[in-house]
Amino acid sequence: MSIYTNVDQFSSVDTPFYYYDIGLLQKTIKSAKEALGNGPYQIHYALKANSNPRILNEVLKFGLGADCVSGNEVNRAIEVGFDPKNILFAGVGKTDREINSGIKHDIFGFNVESLEELKVLEQLSKTSGKKTRFALRINPNVDAGTHEYITTGKRDNKFGITLEELSLAISLIKSLEYTEFTGIHFHIGSQIIDLSRFKELADRCNEVQSLLLDHSFELPHINVGGGLGIDYDQPDKNSIADFKGYFSCFKRNLVQLPNQTLHFELGRSLVGQCGTLIARVLYIKPAEKTSFMILDAGMTELIRPALYRSLHFIQNLSSQEGSEVYDVVGPVCETSDAFARGLSLPKAKRGDLLAICSAGAYGEAMASQYNLRDAAPCIFSDDFK
Protein backbone atom coordinates (compact mmCIF):
# COMPACT_ATOMS: atom_id res chain seq x y z
CA MET A 1 0.00 0.00 0.00
CA SER A 2 1.16 3.55 -0.67
CA ILE A 3 0.32 4.84 2.79
CA TYR A 4 3.91 5.59 3.83
CA THR A 5 4.32 8.11 1.02
CA ASN A 6 1.79 10.33 2.77
CA VAL A 7 2.97 10.10 6.38
CA ASP A 8 4.37 13.64 6.42
CA GLN A 9 1.09 15.01 5.08
CA PHE A 10 -0.85 13.00 7.66
CA SER A 11 0.95 14.76 10.51
CA SER A 12 -1.02 17.94 9.90
CA VAL A 13 -4.41 16.23 9.57
CA ASP A 14 -6.75 15.88 12.52
CA THR A 15 -7.23 12.28 13.54
CA PRO A 16 -8.89 9.85 13.44
CA PHE A 17 -9.71 9.55 9.75
CA TYR A 18 -10.23 6.90 7.09
CA TYR A 19 -7.60 6.84 4.36
CA TYR A 20 -8.51 5.27 1.02
CA ASP A 21 -5.94 4.18 -1.53
CA ILE A 22 -7.81 4.81 -4.78
CA GLY A 23 -5.06 3.25 -6.89
CA LEU A 24 -5.30 -0.02 -4.96
CA LEU A 25 -9.09 0.03 -5.22
CA GLN A 26 -8.89 0.39 -8.99
CA LYS A 27 -6.26 -2.33 -9.25
CA THR A 28 -8.37 -4.69 -7.13
CA ILE A 29 -11.54 -4.25 -9.17
CA LYS A 30 -9.58 -4.63 -12.39
CA SER A 31 -8.04 -7.85 -11.05
CA ALA A 32 -11.48 -9.20 -10.16
CA LYS A 33 -12.85 -8.47 -13.60
CA GLU A 34 -9.85 -10.01 -15.33
CA ALA A 35 -10.09 -13.14 -13.17
CA LEU A 36 -13.78 -13.54 -14.00
CA GLY A 37 -13.23 -13.06 -17.71
CA ASN A 38 -15.79 -12.57 -20.43
CA GLY A 39 -19.02 -14.46 -20.50
CA PRO A 40 -22.52 -14.42 -19.05
CA TYR A 41 -21.32 -13.09 -15.69
CA GLN A 42 -22.09 -10.04 -13.59
CA ILE A 43 -20.43 -8.71 -10.44
CA HIS A 44 -22.60 -6.64 -8.11
CA TYR A 45 -20.82 -4.55 -5.51
CA ALA A 46 -22.26 -4.99 -1.99
CA LEU A 47 -22.89 -1.49 -0.68
CA LYS A 48 -23.07 -2.73 2.92
CA ALA A 49 -19.27 -3.09 2.88
CA ASN A 50 -18.72 0.59 2.15
CA SER A 51 -21.23 3.07 0.75
CA ASN A 52 -18.96 6.12 0.61
CA PRO A 53 -20.02 8.04 -2.55
CA ARG A 54 -16.43 8.40 -3.79
CA ILE A 55 -15.87 4.65 -3.45
CA LEU A 56 -19.14 3.98 -5.28
CA ASN A 57 -18.14 6.31 -8.10
CA GLU A 58 -14.94 4.34 -8.58
CA VAL A 59 -16.87 1.04 -8.55
CA LEU A 60 -19.30 2.44 -11.10
CA LYS A 61 -16.49 3.19 -13.57
CA PHE A 62 -15.86 -0.55 -13.94
CA GLY A 63 -19.43 -1.41 -14.88
CA LEU A 64 -20.32 -3.28 -11.70
CA GLY A 65 -23.89 -3.59 -10.52
CA ALA A 66 -25.13 -2.84 -7.01
CA ASP A 67 -26.18 -5.27 -4.30
CA CYS A 68 -28.29 -3.48 -1.69
CA VAL A 69 -29.80 -4.58 1.61
CA SER A 70 -31.87 -1.51 2.49
CA GLY A 71 -34.01 1.06 0.77
CA ASN A 72 -31.48 3.76 1.52
CA GLU A 73 -28.74 1.70 -0.14
CA VAL A 74 -30.93 1.42 -3.22
CA ASN A 75 -31.41 5.19 -3.14
CA ARG A 76 -27.67 5.78 -2.70
CA ALA A 77 -26.86 3.52 -5.65
CA ILE A 78 -29.29 5.39 -7.87
CA GLU A 79 -28.03 8.78 -6.67
CA VAL A 80 -24.44 8.01 -7.69
CA GLY A 81 -25.51 6.71 -11.08
CA PHE A 82 -26.04 2.94 -10.97
CA ASP A 83 -28.55 1.80 -13.58
CA PRO A 84 -31.67 0.54 -11.75
CA LYS A 85 -31.65 -2.40 -14.17
CA ASN A 86 -28.41 -3.50 -12.49
CA ILE A 87 -29.52 -3.15 -8.86
CA LEU A 88 -30.40 -6.11 -6.65
CA PHE A 89 -32.29 -5.70 -3.37
CA ALA A 90 -31.79 -8.36 -0.68
CA GLY A 91 -32.46 -8.41 3.06
CA VAL A 92 -34.73 -10.35 5.40
CA GLY A 93 -36.77 -7.38 6.62
CA LYS A 94 -37.75 -5.17 3.69
CA THR A 95 -40.48 -2.73 4.68
CA ASP A 96 -43.43 -1.93 2.43
CA ARG A 97 -41.95 1.52 1.86
CA GLU A 98 -38.63 0.06 0.77
CA ILE A 99 -40.28 -2.48 -1.51
CA ASN A 100 -42.45 0.19 -3.09
CA SER A 101 -39.38 2.34 -3.71
CA GLY A 102 -37.68 -0.56 -5.48
CA ILE A 103 -40.80 -1.16 -7.57
CA LYS A 104 -41.00 2.54 -8.44
CA HIS A 105 -37.39 2.58 -9.66
CA ASP A 106 -37.98 -0.66 -11.61
CA ILE A 107 -34.83 -2.26 -10.21
CA PHE A 108 -33.46 -5.48 -11.69
CA GLY A 109 -34.95 -7.59 -8.95
CA PHE A 110 -35.63 -8.48 -5.34
CA ASN A 111 -33.92 -11.38 -3.60
CA VAL A 112 -36.90 -12.69 -1.65
CA GLU A 113 -36.06 -14.27 1.69
CA SER A 114 -39.35 -15.76 2.91
CA LEU A 115 -42.70 -16.96 1.59
CA GLU A 116 -44.46 -14.19 3.48
CA GLU A 117 -42.24 -11.58 1.85
CA LEU A 118 -43.08 -13.04 -1.56
CA LYS A 119 -46.79 -12.67 -0.85
CA VAL A 120 -46.23 -9.03 0.18
CA LEU A 121 -44.20 -8.37 -2.98
CA GLU A 122 -46.99 -9.85 -5.09
CA GLN A 123 -49.63 -7.65 -3.44
CA LEU A 124 -47.57 -4.45 -3.65
CA SER A 125 -46.74 -5.17 -7.29
CA LYS A 126 -50.43 -5.61 -8.02
CA THR A 127 -51.22 -2.30 -6.36
CA SER A 128 -48.48 -0.51 -8.29
CA GLY A 129 -49.55 -1.92 -11.64
CA LYS A 130 -45.99 -3.05 -12.38
CA LYS A 131 -44.74 -6.59 -12.80
CA THR A 132 -41.79 -7.10 -10.46
CA ARG A 133 -38.87 -9.48 -10.89
CA PHE A 134 -37.59 -11.62 -8.05
CA ALA A 135 -35.14 -14.39 -7.22
CA LEU A 136 -35.73 -16.85 -4.43
CA ARG A 137 -33.01 -16.79 -1.78
CA ILE A 138 -32.32 -20.34 -0.70
CA ASN A 139 -30.72 -21.23 2.62
CA PRO A 140 -28.53 -24.17 1.53
CA ASN A 141 -27.44 -25.22 5.04
CA VAL A 142 -23.77 -24.79 4.13
CA ASP A 143 -21.37 -23.85 6.92
CA ALA A 144 -19.15 -20.98 5.77
CA GLY A 145 -16.51 -21.91 8.35
CA THR A 146 -16.22 -18.34 9.58
CA HIS A 147 -17.34 -16.37 12.67
CA GLU A 148 -20.86 -17.32 13.75
CA TYR A 149 -22.03 -13.71 13.44
CA ILE A 150 -21.17 -13.56 9.72
CA THR A 151 -22.40 -17.01 8.74
CA THR A 152 -25.65 -16.69 6.77
CA GLY A 153 -26.27 -20.01 5.02
CA LYS A 154 -26.92 -22.46 7.86
CA ARG A 155 -30.37 -23.74 8.78
CA ASP A 156 -30.40 -21.84 12.08
CA ASN A 157 -29.61 -18.50 10.38
CA LYS A 158 -32.43 -16.06 9.66
CA PHE A 159 -31.63 -15.75 5.97
CA GLY A 160 -33.42 -17.32 3.02
CA ILE A 161 -35.90 -20.12 2.46
CA THR A 162 -34.92 -23.56 3.72
CA LEU A 163 -34.75 -26.55 1.41
CA GLU A 164 -37.68 -28.01 3.34
CA GLU A 165 -39.80 -24.96 2.44
CA LEU A 166 -38.93 -25.16 -1.24
CA SER A 167 -41.94 -27.31 -2.17
CA LEU A 168 -44.26 -24.72 -0.63
CA ALA A 169 -42.41 -21.98 -2.52
CA ILE A 170 -42.88 -23.85 -5.79
CA SER A 171 -46.64 -23.98 -5.31
CA LEU A 172 -46.79 -20.32 -4.37
CA ILE A 173 -44.69 -19.17 -7.33
CA LYS A 174 -46.97 -21.00 -9.77
CA SER A 175 -49.94 -19.01 -8.43
CA LEU A 176 -48.38 -15.56 -8.85
CA GLU A 177 -49.65 -13.07 -11.44
CA TYR A 178 -47.87 -9.79 -10.73
CA THR A 179 -44.33 -10.97 -10.06
CA GLU A 180 -41.87 -12.77 -12.30
CA PHE A 181 -39.61 -15.56 -11.00
CA THR A 182 -36.17 -15.06 -12.57
CA GLY A 183 -33.85 -17.35 -10.65
CA ILE A 184 -32.26 -18.41 -7.38
CA HIS A 185 -29.99 -16.62 -4.94
CA PHE A 186 -27.58 -17.86 -2.27
CA HIS A 187 -25.21 -16.28 0.23
CA ILE A 188 -23.50 -18.43 2.85
CA GLY A 189 -21.43 -15.92 4.79
CA SER A 190 -18.57 -13.47 4.83
CA GLN A 191 -14.75 -13.52 5.14
CA ILE A 192 -14.51 -17.04 3.66
CA ILE A 193 -10.95 -18.18 2.94
CA ASP A 194 -11.54 -21.90 2.52
CA LEU A 195 -12.66 -22.18 -1.12
CA SER A 196 -14.02 -25.70 -0.54
CA ARG A 197 -17.00 -24.00 1.12
CA PHE A 198 -17.88 -22.48 -2.25
CA LYS A 199 -17.62 -25.88 -3.94
CA GLU A 200 -20.15 -27.18 -1.42
CA LEU A 201 -22.38 -24.22 -2.25
CA ALA A 202 -22.08 -24.94 -5.99
CA ASP A 203 -23.06 -28.57 -5.40
CA ARG A 204 -26.12 -27.50 -3.41
CA CYS A 205 -26.99 -24.93 -6.06
CA ASN A 206 -26.94 -27.67 -8.70
CA GLU A 207 -29.37 -29.73 -6.63
CA VAL A 208 -31.81 -26.84 -6.23
CA GLN A 209 -31.59 -25.92 -9.90
CA SER A 210 -32.26 -29.51 -10.95
CA LEU A 211 -35.34 -29.65 -8.72
CA LEU A 212 -36.75 -26.41 -10.12
CA LEU A 213 -36.07 -27.47 -13.71
CA ASP A 214 -38.02 -30.66 -13.00
CA HIS A 215 -40.97 -28.38 -12.17
CA SER A 216 -40.64 -26.64 -15.56
CA PHE A 217 -39.23 -23.37 -14.22
CA GLU A 218 -36.87 -21.33 -16.36
CA LEU A 219 -33.89 -19.97 -14.45
CA PRO A 220 -32.23 -17.19 -16.46
CA HIS A 221 -30.26 -16.04 -13.41
CA ILE A 222 -28.25 -17.74 -10.68
CA ASN A 223 -26.77 -15.60 -7.92
CA VAL A 224 -24.18 -17.26 -5.67
CA GLY A 225 -23.68 -14.22 -3.43
CA GLY A 226 -20.23 -13.22 -2.25
CA GLY A 227 -18.24 -13.81 0.91
CA LEU A 228 -14.68 -14.06 -0.43
CA GLY A 229 -12.29 -13.10 2.36
CA ILE A 230 -9.15 -10.97 2.52
CA ASP A 231 -5.84 -11.35 4.36
CA TYR A 232 -6.06 -9.34 7.58
CA ASP A 233 -2.73 -10.72 8.84
CA GLN A 234 -0.52 -9.67 5.92
CA PRO A 235 -2.38 -6.94 4.03
CA ASP A 236 0.74 -5.57 2.34
CA LYS A 237 1.84 -8.98 1.08
CA ASN A 238 -1.65 -10.06 -0.03
CA SER A 239 -3.40 -6.84 -0.92
CA ILE A 240 -5.63 -8.49 -3.55
CA ALA A 241 -7.92 -11.40 -2.78
CA ASP A 242 -7.82 -14.77 -4.57
CA PHE A 243 -10.35 -13.86 -7.24
CA LYS A 244 -8.99 -16.43 -9.67
CA GLY A 245 -9.50 -19.29 -7.23
CA TYR A 246 -12.93 -18.01 -6.21
CA PHE A 247 -14.37 -17.65 -9.70
CA SER A 248 -12.72 -20.86 -10.93
CA CYS A 249 -14.41 -22.79 -8.15
CA PHE A 250 -17.84 -21.89 -9.51
CA LYS A 251 -16.86 -22.28 -13.15
CA ARG A 252 -15.64 -25.84 -12.45
CA ASN A 253 -18.45 -26.99 -10.19
CA LEU A 254 -21.61 -25.05 -11.01
CA VAL A 255 -23.81 -26.25 -13.86
CA GLN A 256 -24.46 -23.07 -15.81
CA LEU A 257 -27.09 -23.53 -18.48
CA PRO A 258 -27.08 -21.86 -21.91
CA ASN A 259 -28.49 -18.31 -21.82
CA GLN A 260 -28.10 -18.22 -18.04
CA THR A 261 -26.29 -15.38 -16.25
CA LEU A 262 -24.19 -16.07 -13.16
CA HIS A 263 -24.16 -13.26 -10.61
CA PHE A 264 -21.70 -12.52 -7.80
CA GLU A 265 -22.06 -10.07 -4.89
CA LEU A 266 -18.63 -8.95 -3.72
CA GLY A 267 -17.96 -6.32 -1.09
CA ARG A 268 -15.13 -6.88 1.38
CA SER A 269 -12.79 -8.45 -1.20
CA LEU A 270 -13.10 -5.37 -3.44
CA VAL A 271 -12.71 -2.57 -0.89
CA GLY A 272 -11.34 -4.07 2.32
CA GLN A 273 -7.65 -3.58 1.67
CA CYS A 274 -7.87 -0.09 0.16
CA GLY A 275 -9.00 1.47 3.45
CA THR A 276 -6.93 2.27 6.55
CA LEU A 277 -7.97 3.88 9.81
CA ILE A 278 -5.37 6.46 10.85
CA ALA A 279 -5.27 7.26 14.55
CA ARG A 280 -3.01 9.10 16.95
CA VAL A 281 -1.61 7.95 20.28
CA LEU A 282 -3.13 9.96 23.12
CA TYR A 283 -1.52 8.30 26.11
CA ILE A 284 0.73 5.40 27.11
CA LYS A 285 -0.62 4.06 30.39
CA PRO A 286 1.20 1.40 32.44
CA ALA A 287 -0.79 -1.68 33.43
CA GLU A 288 -0.10 -4.85 35.41
CA LYS A 289 1.10 -7.06 32.55
CA THR A 290 1.43 -4.66 29.65
CA SER A 291 0.92 -1.00 28.74
CA PHE A 292 -2.24 0.54 27.39
CA MET A 293 -1.73 2.44 24.14
CA ILE A 294 -4.78 4.71 24.13
CA LEU A 295 -5.74 6.01 20.69
CA ASP A 296 -8.10 8.74 19.57
CA ALA A 297 -9.93 6.15 17.42
CA GLY A 298 -12.07 3.42 18.86
CA MET A 299 -14.98 1.09 18.30
CA THR A 300 -16.98 4.02 16.98
CA GLU A 301 -14.69 4.12 13.94
CA LEU A 302 -13.98 0.38 13.60
CA ILE A 303 -16.29 -1.91 15.55
CA ARG A 304 -15.13 -5.24 14.10
CA PRO A 305 -12.61 -6.03 16.88
CA ALA A 306 -15.20 -5.32 19.58
CA LEU A 307 -18.02 -7.11 17.74
CA TYR A 308 -16.22 -10.16 16.34
CA ARG A 309 -12.88 -10.08 18.20
CA SER A 310 -11.35 -9.70 14.77
CA LEU A 311 -7.73 -8.67 14.35
CA HIS A 312 -6.40 -5.95 12.05
CA PHE A 313 -2.72 -5.49 11.25
CA ILE A 314 -1.49 -2.37 13.08
CA GLN A 315 1.55 -0.29 12.14
CA ASN A 316 3.24 2.58 13.93
CA LEU A 317 3.88 5.08 11.15
CA SER A 318 5.95 7.38 13.36
CA SER A 319 8.39 4.94 14.92
CA GLN A 320 10.20 1.73 13.96
CA GLU A 321 12.57 1.63 16.93
CA GLY A 322 12.56 -0.72 19.88
CA SER A 323 9.71 -2.97 20.88
CA GLU A 324 7.11 -3.05 23.61
CA VAL A 325 3.94 -5.00 24.30
CA TYR A 326 0.72 -3.02 24.28
CA ASP A 327 -3.00 -3.35 24.66
CA VAL A 328 -4.10 -1.06 21.82
CA VAL A 329 -7.37 0.50 22.96
CA GLY A 330 -9.73 3.33 22.11
CA PRO A 331 -11.26 6.18 24.13
CA VAL A 332 -14.85 4.88 24.21
CA CYS A 333 -16.33 4.07 27.61
CA GLU A 334 -16.59 0.32 27.00
CA THR A 335 -14.10 -2.34 28.09
CA SER A 336 -14.57 -4.03 24.71
CA ASP A 337 -13.19 -0.93 22.97
CA ALA A 338 -9.87 -2.55 22.05
CA PHE A 339 -8.12 -3.20 18.74
CA ALA A 340 -5.55 -5.70 20.05
CA ARG A 341 -4.32 -7.21 23.31
CA GLY A 342 -0.70 -8.06 24.04
CA LEU A 343 0.54 -6.76 20.70
CA SER A 344 4.27 -6.19 20.18
CA LEU A 345 4.88 -2.87 18.41
CA PRO A 346 7.73 -0.36 18.07
CA LYS A 347 7.99 1.74 21.20
CA ALA A 348 5.34 4.46 21.01
CA LYS A 349 4.90 7.90 22.45
CA ARG A 350 2.15 10.46 22.62
CA GLY A 351 1.42 11.88 19.15
CA ASP A 352 2.58 8.88 17.13
CA LEU A 353 0.45 8.01 14.11
CA LEU A 354 -0.89 4.48 13.84
CA ALA A 355 -2.37 2.73 10.81
CA ILE A 356 -5.05 0.13 11.46
CA CYS A 357 -5.12 -1.73 8.16
CA SER A 358 -7.80 -3.49 6.12
CA ALA A 359 -10.51 -1.09 7.26
CA GLY A 360 -12.03 -0.37 3.86
CA ALA A 361 -14.90 -2.77 4.46
CA TYR A 362 -17.19 -2.58 7.49
CA GLY A 363 -15.23 0.31 8.96
CA GLU A 364 -16.82 3.56 7.89
CA ALA A 365 -20.01 1.68 6.98
CA MET A 366 -20.50 0.47 10.58
CA ALA A 367 -19.30 3.63 12.33
CA SER A 368 -21.38 5.23 15.05
CA GLN A 369 -21.36 8.40 17.12
CA TYR A 370 -21.70 6.65 20.45
CA ASN A 371 -20.51 8.89 23.31
CA LEU A 372 -21.46 11.74 20.93
CA ARG A 373 -18.14 11.35 19.18
CA ASP A 374 -17.56 13.25 15.95
CA ALA A 375 -17.82 11.26 12.74
CA ALA A 376 -14.36 10.55 11.35
CA PRO A 377 -13.70 12.19 7.95
CA CYS A 378 -12.35 10.47 4.83
CA ILE A 379 -9.18 11.29 2.92
CA PHE A 380 -8.31 9.79 -0.45
CA SER A 381 -4.86 9.06 -1.81
CA ASP A 382 -5.29 11.43 -4.74
CA ASP A 383 -6.05 14.29 -2.33
CA PHE A 384 -2.28 14.52 -1.82
CA LYS A 385 -1.34 14.87 -5.48
Side-chain angles (χ1 to χ4, degrees):
M1 290 182 285
S2 61
I3 189 167
Y4 283 102
T5 62
N6 295 315
V7 172
D8 290 340
Q9 292 97 321
F10 288 170
S11 62
S12 61
V13 180
D14 288 340
T15 52
F17 62 87
Y18 303 100
Y19 171 79
Y20 292 112
D21 185 337
I22 296 301
L24 178 57
L25 174 61
Q26 294 169 342
K27 183 179 178 182
T28 302
I29 300 175
K30 183 178 179 181
S31 296
K33 293 199 66 172
E34 289 177 349
L36 181 57
N38 297 322
Y41 311 119
Q42 177 63 52
I43 299 174
H44 300 266
Y45 169 66
L47 268 73
K48 63 180 179 289
N50 190 318
S51 57
N52 183 292
R54 174 67 196 281
I55 298 295
L56 295 181
N57 275 309
E58 292 297 329
V59 170
L60 191 57
K61 293 176 183 177
F62 288 87
L64 275 58
D67 166 53
C68 304
V69 292
S70 74
N72 284 340
E73 285 190 357
V74 171
N75 293 338
R76 174 67 61 83
I78 292 172
E79 286 169 4
V80 300
F82 283 89
D83 186 342
K85 292 288 195 264
N86 212 6
I87 294 177
L88 299 172
F89 188 3
V92 299
K94 306 178 190 73
T95 66
D96 290 13
R97 177 178 56 81
E98 290 176 315
I99 293 173
N100 280 326
S101 177
I103 293 173
K104 176 184 176 182
H105 290 298
D106 195 24
I107 62 174
F108 174 77
F110 295 81
N111 292 334
V112 170
E113 306 231 10
S114 68
L115 301 185
E116 189 169 12
E117 181 191 337
L118 182 52
K119 294 174 184 176
V120 170
L121 181 63
E122 169 79 359
Q123 183 58 50
L124 294 177
S125 298
K126 177 181 179 180
T127 301
S128 72
K130 293 183 178 181
K131 193 153 190 174
T132 306
R133 296 165 294 277
F134 75 93
L136 203 61
R137 177 170 180 176
I138 308 296
N139 185 322
N141 197 29
V142 172
D143 187 352
T146 186
H147 192 284
E148 61 179 321
Y149 287 177
I150 52 176
T151 292
T152 62
K154 294 177 65 177
R155 186 173 284 111
D156 58 354
N157 297 140
K158 66 182 179 180
F159 302 94
I161 293 169
T162 65
L163 297 175
E164 291 77 10
E165 292 178 291
L166 194 52
S167 60
L168 297 175
I170 289 171
S171 298
L172 176 58
I173 291 171
K174 289 183 176 180
S175 72
L176 301 176
E177 298 181 45
Y178 301 95
T179 49
E180 177 187 356
F181 180 45
T182 62
I184 48 179
H185 170 238
F186 302 84
H187 185 78
I188 61 171
S190 188
Q191 186 49 24
I192 302 170
I193 301 296
D194 180 0
L195 297 182
S196 69
R197 309 287 179 166
F198 295 119
K199 179 186 182 303
E200 188 177 352
L201 170 59
D203 292 341
R204 198 61 52 83
C205 181
N206 292 336
E207 295 172 12
V208 173
Q209 176 171 240
S210 179
L211 175 63
L212 291 170
L213 292 174
D214 287 344
H215 284 80
S216 301
F217 286 111
E218 294 184 2
L219 298 172
H221 301 280
I222 292 183
N223 187 332
V224 294
L228 178 62
I230 62 174
D231 191 339
Y232 283 96
D233 297 324
Q234 297 179 296
D236 286 335
K237 182 178 179 181
N238 299 306
S239 60
I240 295 180
D242 184 11
F243 294 115
K244 183 177 180 180
Y246 172 74
F247 292 129
S248 295
C249 183
F250 288 105
K251 289 180 181 181
R252 286 195 309 268
N253 298 291
L254 183 69
V255 177
Q256 188 174 359
L257 302 176
N259 302 316
Q260 191 175 62
T261 301
L262 180 59
H263 299 257
F264 302 89
E265 299 164 344
L266 297 176
R268 183 197 313 264
S269 58
L270 296 178
V271 298
Q273 300 290 32
C274 81
T276 305
L277 177 61
I278 305 296
R280 200 178 300 272
V281 176
L282 293 175
Y283 308 104
I284 303 297
K285 179 179 177 181
E288 183 177 358
K289 297 181 179 179
T290 181
S291 294
F292 288 113
M293 181 190 294
I294 303 173
L295 308 182
D296 59 3
M299 62 189 291
T300 44
E301 288 70 47
L302 183 62
I303 198 173
R304 295 187 70 254
L307 188 60
Y308 308 128
R309 294 189 175 179
S310 59
L311 297 176
H312 290 250
F313 186 71
I314 299 175
Q315 297 170 296
N316 188 329
L317 301 179
S318 303
S319 171
Q320 300 299 316
E321 297 180 1
S323 180
E324 193 165 330
V325 176
Y326 297 98
D327 284 357
V328 183
V329 301
V332 177
C333 289
E334 300 287 343
T335 302
S336 61
D337 182 31
F339 294 111
R341 305 277 186 185
L343 182 65
S344 180
L345 286 171
K347 192 168 183 178
K349 64 183 183 303
R350 174 176 168 82
D352 279 1
L353 287 173
L354 262 70
I356 304 173
C357 302
S358 309
Y362 307 108
E364 182 187 355
M366 297 180 76
S368 75
Q369 291 183 269
Y370 180 48
N371 291 179
L372 289 182
R373 286 172 54 79
D374 292 333
C378 304
I379 294 178
F380 303 93
S381 55
D382 48 12
D383 290 336
F384 294 102
K385 291 180 179 179

